């Protein structure tokens, strides 16, 4: 397996684990105000995790200097 593919897989696994941890904590600390508050928390977390994942995958596949 090429090193770039391995790095991209590592970045994807880290993003999946981060999303799972966020979802767990949102579920664990949910309040009784309905699903919209939880959805906003998950969307904010995705707004942080997805760009970081994109940068990591881009860096994995970018040509070495």
């Amino acid at each position: 397996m090429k090193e770039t593919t391995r790095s991209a897989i590592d970045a994807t696994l880290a993003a999946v684990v981060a999303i799972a941890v966020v979802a767990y904590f949102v579920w664990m600390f949910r309040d009784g105000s309905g699903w919209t508050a939880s959805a906003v928390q998950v969307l904010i977390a995705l707004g942080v995790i997805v760009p970081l994942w994109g940068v990591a995958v881009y860096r994995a596949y970018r040509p070495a200097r």
Side-chain angles (χ1 to χ4, degrees):
M1 182 181 306
K2 293 185 349 182
E3 186 64 31
T4 56
T5 304
R6 180 68 179 178
S7 296
I9 290 171
D10 290 344
T12 302
L13 287 175
V16 168
V17 168
I19 291 169
V21 168
V22 165
Y24 175 73
F25 276 101
V26 167
W27 174 78
M28 192 168 69
F29 295 112
R30 67 188 183 272
D31 55 2
S33 64
W35 65 270
T36 54
S38 297
V40 169
Q41 291 173 351
V42 170
L43 289 175
I44 290 171
L46 287 176
V48 173
I49 294 169
V50 170
L52 291 175
W53 169 78
V55 168
V57 171
Y58 169 76
R59 288 179 57 113
Y61 283 112
R62 131 183 118 174
R65 294 183 187 185

